[in-house]
Amino acid sequence: MAAITAGMVKDLREKTDAPMMECKKALSEADGDMGKAEEILRVKLGNKATKAASRITAEGVVAVEISADGKLGAMVELNCETDFVSKNDDFLGLGAEVAKLVVSQNPADVEALSALKIGDKTVEETRSALVGKIGENMSIRRFVRIDAQGALSSYIHGSRIGVLVDLVGGDDQLGKDLAMHIAASKPKALDASGVPAELLEAERRIAIEKAREGGKPENILEKIAEGTVQKYLKDVTLLGQVFVKAEDGKQTIEQLLKARNASVASFTLFVVGEGIEKKSSDFAAEVAAQAAAAQK
C-alpha cells in the first residue's frame, strides 16, 4: 500500500474540488495513483469532481489580429500576475503589437517571437521594460497563427476568452455567431476524430463503474457506456453541440452549417490561465478546522 501524504491529498483536492476526506479515501483505494483516484471521485461524486477543470485563476489577456482579407490571423495569450495589470493600457498594447508580429512575421515559437522587433526594441526588451515600469512579472504564454482555407472570424469575451474560426462559405455574421458559440460552449474538438482516445476511454470506464455501482446487470454495461460516450461527444465537439442561438433549442452546429452551405475548417479557443492553477485556499487551515470539528 502506497503512503498517502498530505501533499497528495492537497493536489487531488485542488484538481477536483472534492472534499478532503473523499480525496484521501480515493487515493487509498487507488493505492496512490492520482489518475485512478480522480476517476474514483468522478464515479462517486459525478460532475462535482470536475469543477476545477473550468476554473481559471491566472491573469492576463487574449489578443487577436486578422489581416484585411481575412486570410491570415493570430491569437496570443499574454499573462500577468493580477487582474489590475491585465487592464493596463501598456500591457494591452503589448498584446496587440505581439499579435500583429505573429501575423506579419510568422515566428516558429515564443522564443523566436521574443526576438522580433517592436520599433527599435525586441519583444523581450519591451516586455522587460514594462515589467520594470509596472513592477509585476508578465510573459507570452502561447500563440497560434492560422492561414485560412476560408475566411477568419474572431470573438473576444472580456479580454480573457478568445476564439478564431476558419469558416469556409457562409458569411461574416455566421462566422461571428460561431466564434461566440465556441467562446460560450468551449468545445474540445471540431468532431469526434479530434477527441483524444484516452478521454473517451476514461468516460467509458467511469460510465461502467457508475452503472455497476447502481446495480445494473453486467450484460448491459457496455451499451450504457456507449450511450454515455456518444452523449459526451455531443457535448464536447463543435459539430455535435446545439447552437446557442438556435430558436428551437435543438439545431446543432452541424445542422446549421449544412443549412448555410458552409463548413468549419478549424477553430482555436484560448482561455486566459487555462491549466494554470493558483493556490486559492488555505489547505493547512482547512485541515486544522476539520481536525477541530472531529474532536468536538
Side-chain angles (χ1 to χ4, degrees), residues 62-175:
V62 174
V64 170
E65 177 72 14
I66 297 176
S67 63
D69 62 4
K71 290 296 185 179
L72 281 175
M75 187 160 57
V76 176
E77 179 182 348
L78 182 64
N79 291 139
C80 57
E81 294 181 46
T82 64
D83 180 63
F84 179 78
V85 168
S86 73
K87 296 178 174 62
N88 177 277
D89 288 341
D90 291 335
F91 181 77
L92 293 170
L94 177 60
E97 289 296 329
V98 169
K100 290 177 183 178
L101 282 176
V102 174
V103 171
S104 63
Q105 302 297 317
N106 193 21
D109 51 30
V110 171
E111 183 178 1
L113 173 59
S114 298
L116 297 177
K117 290 287 189 74
I118 298 176
D120 60 352
K121 293 182 179 180
T122 66
V123 170
E124 175 56 25
E125 289 169 342
T126 304
R127 184 200 68 84
S128 296
L130 192 54
V131 169
K133 177 182 177 180
I134 295 177
E136 182 171 309
N137 192 29
M138 57 192 67
S139 63
I140 300 169
R141 184 186 181 200
R142 55 181 171 168
F143 68 84
V144 65
R145 184 179 187 269
I146 298 176
D147 189 348
Q149 295 181 30
L152 292 170
S153 295
S154 67
Y155 176 70
I156 294 183
H157 182 76
S159 79
R160 296 179 62 82
I161 301 174
V163 177
L164 275 178
V165 182
D166 182 0
L167 178 65
V168 180
D171 53 27
D172 289 345
Q173 187 57 53
L174 178 60

Side-chain angles (χ1 to χ4, degrees), residues 21 31 34 64 69-70 85 109-110 119 127 153 158 169 182 225 247 258 280 283 286 288:
M21 293 309 298
D31 198 23
M34 190 68 69
V64 170
D69 62 4
V85 168
D109 51 30
V110 171
R127 184 200 68 84
S153 295
I182 292 166
E247 294 182 0
K258 185 176 180 179
S280 59
F283 185 74
E286 182 181 346

